[in-house]
Amino acid sequence: MSKALQSTLAISFELPGGLLVRQAHHWAALLLPAALILQLAVTFFTGAFRPPRRLAWLLLFGLLLTALAGGWSGYALPDDMLSGTGLRIVEGIVLGIPVVGTWLSALLFGGEFPGRIIENLYPIHVAVVPVLLIVLMAARARSAYVNGPAQFAGPGRTEERIVGVPVWPNLAVRAGGLLALVTGGILLLAATVTISPVWLYGPSSPGDASAGSQPDWYTGFLDGALRLVPPGWEVEWLGRTWTPAILLPLLVVGLFLLAIAVYPFVEEWVTGDHAEHHLLDRPRNEPTRTGLGVAALVFYGALWGAGSADLVATHLHLTVESVVAWYQAMVVLGPFVAFLLTRRVCLALQKRDRDILLHGYETGRIVRLPGGEYAEVHGRVDAVERYRLAGPAAAHGAAAHPDENGRLRWSERMRAALARVYFEDRLQPLGDGAVGPPERFGAA
């Protein structure tokens, strides 16, 4: 038993309250990436990443990557059999990188496996990651202070006028209450639900592997990407063995993360919208963006689910091959289907909002008119609701423009083509006088 595992067991069983603190730490490490992913999703679907908040998006994405690095480094520190199996998988991935794989493995592990990996990861987990988290959160707080809060449309709210919530006492009380609820929930979980019972796994052994081992949920998509590659993908080239079974998942996951980071800049380039935005979008009013977001979630979910393909097969009494084939189809076809369905649903919801905006909402009251016919009374839509249902703002894809020499570059042609796809089937906004005052909607 290594000193790392000895100290973990001492904290769990000999230090008063040590097991509670250790399990609370682990549950918090699982909750942090979930909270950051949820905030990224909300920021994306509401368009809160547009100027002047593009830097805040990059900082939030950096927080997620830092949290993943912190969780993974802490996952390996107890030096139990489960973490040792995970480190062996990491070593295999690093060794599969052509040319530099052996050198990178020696650098990471400090020699042959297991080397000095615990000593190398310890300062990352207890010093580098906390400092990075504090710096990134401070930078986001400054960005929020400088740019102000983004907000949904409402009375008195415009792109030039921000109507926020006072920091004291409103925002401070909300933040304090949320902190108390989250802390209480984490401590309740730590006191009642066992997590990472290293005393059951036993000490790590380089020659052994833990059967049925699963990574923490936030790295499951990385494991799933490896499981979905067909076996036997190896190529002999230039006197070296190239392994697409390792390189392709790394490339796909790397491009996926890169696409998330640069999307605000890509959307601004495609749409040609360089103005500052302080009003948030309803997801249904931006069907293309919402479709892309749902497609990304389906892609991530398929990779994440594939990380437990063996458990899915055993619990549902299916063959592993069929489960893997299903996830392979989901990774390739799922995002396209999700994009098309989401965009059509968003357009349908827009049309429903437009109907309510113009004619009021259904009350269920049927009246008989003087002429003998029956009609349903529609209720009034108040001013706040009219702002919410107003629909998308006017926007059109910019046409391709030649440069100063009169040449139409391929990049400009591609941008114009993407803009047409982005804005197709978009509802045109109503004019200022099309809705009228509330009394035009009839009396309920």
Side-chain angles (χ1 to χ4, degrees):
M1 183 185 302
S2 65
K3 291 184 178 180
L5 184 56
Q6 283 183 351
S7 64
T8 305
L9 293 175
I11 292 173
S12 302
F13 296 121
E14 298 178 14
L15 185 67
L19 182 59
L20 177 66
V21 174
R22 178 173 166 267
Q23 295 199 149
H25 177 72
H26 201 129
W27 280 115
L30 297 180
L31 181 62
L32 178 59
L36 292 172
I37 291 175
L38 181 61
Q39 189 169 0
L40 273 172
V42 172
T43 303
F44 179 87
F45 286 117
T46 59
F49 55 78
R50 294 173 296 174
R53 296 176 180 85
R54 291 177 301 182
L55 177 60
W57 171 266
L58 293 177
L59 292 173
L60 183 59
F61 182 73
L63 277 170
L64 176 60
L65 294 183
T66 305
L68 296 181
W72 175 77
S73 59
Y75 172 87
L77 288 183
D79 200 28
D80 60 299
M81 181 61 73
L82 180 62
S83 63
T85 303
L87 288 175
R88 178 64 91 177
I89 296 174
V90 172
E91 184 208 22
I93 295 174
V94 175
L95 289 175
I97 302 176
V99 182
V100 298
T102 304
W103 176 79
L104 288 176
S105 176
L107 178 65
L108 177 62
F109 288 90
E112 291 293 330
F113 184 87
R116 299 167 55 87
I117 185 64
I118 303 298
E119 299 173 47
N120 294 339
L121 292 180
Y122 183 79
I124 295 176
H125 185 71
V126 302
V128 177
V129 169
V131 170
L132 279 178
L133 288 175
I134 293 173
V135 170
L136 291 173
M137 286 191 294
R140 270 188 58 82
R142 173 171 174 76
S143 176
Y145 175 78
V146 172
N147 298 319
Q151 56 195 349
F152 285 102
R157 298 177 180 180
T158 65
E159 297 287 8
E160 294 77 25
R161 186 170 184 267
I162 300 175
V163 182
V165 178
V167 175
W168 180 263
N170 304 60
L171 194 59
V173 171
R174 292 181 185 180
L178 180 61
L179 174 63
L181 288 174
V182 173
T183 303
I186 291 175
L187 290 177
L188 180 62
L189 278 173
T192 57
V193 182
T194 301
I195 189 169
S196 186
V198 295
W199 52 89
L200 298 180
Y201 303 146
S204 176
S205 174
D208 299 322
S210 177
S213 62
Q214 298 290 316
D216 281 339
W217 77 266
Y218 47 81
T219 56
F221 74 105
L222 300 174
D223 194 12
L226 294 172
R227 297 190 184 202
L228 293 184
V229 178
W233 277 20
E234 290 185 354
V235 179
E236 295 289 339
W237 186 50
L238 299 179
R240 297 182 182 274
T241 300
W242 301 77
T243 310
I246 298 296
L247 298 178
L248 185 59
L250 292 178
L251 178 63
V252 170
V253 172
L255 291 177
F256 177 65
L257 295 176
L258 178 63
I260 294 175
V262 303
Y263 179 84
F265 305 92
V266 174
E267 182 181 297
E268 182 179 353
W269 174 70
V270 170
T271 61
D273 183 8
H274 306 290
E276 291 191 355
H277 293 275
H278 298 287
L279 292 180
L280 299 173
D281 294 323
R282 294 182 73 200
R284 65 183 61 182
N285 292 336
E286 294 294 335
T288 301
R289 180 200 298 154
T290 303
L292 291 173
V294 174
L297 291 178
V298 170
F299 178 78
Y300 171 83
L303 293 182
W304 181 78
S308 297
D310 54 339
L311 295 182
V312 173
T314 56
H315 282 68
L316 299 182
H317 305 288
L318 302 172
T319 63
V320 175
E321 292 80 6
S322 62
V323 174
V324 171
W326 164 258
Y327 281 119
Q328 288 172 338
M330 283 295 297
V331 166
V332 177
L333 302 178
F336 295 101
V337 176
F339 173 78
L340 295 176
L341 288 178
T342 301
R343 190 158 68 166
R344 301 316 302 176
V345 169
C346 288
L347 292 172
L349 292 175
Q350 285 186 46
K351 293 178 181 179
R352 174 61 178 165
D353 289 347
R354 179 68 55 86
D355 181 71
I356 296 176
L357 187 64
L358 292 175
H359 307 293
Y361 62 89
E362 299 175 355
T363 63
R365 292 180 55 202
I366 307 298
V367 297
R368 185 176 183 182
L369 302 181
E373 68 272 23
Y374 291 89
E376 182 180 14
V377 177
H378 283 204
R380 297 177 179 178
V381 179
D382 58 27
V384 176
E385 189 71 4
R386 290 204 306 275
Y387 276 101
R388 192 177 70 88
L389 300 176
H396 303 280
H401 298 288
D403 58 13
E404 60 275 5
N405 298 322
R407 295 179 299 178
L408 197 60
R409 299 182 177 179
W410 68 269
S411 60
E412 189 66 13
R413 294 175 184 269
M414 182 176 65
R415 187 197 61 77
L418 292 175
R420 285 194 298 270
V421 174
Y422 188 91
F423 291 110
E424 70 177 354
D425 295 334
R426 190 182 182 92
L427 292 184
Q428 294 300 318
L430 295 172
D432 294 336
V435 177
E439 57 267 16
R440 286 188 56 185
F441 292 93

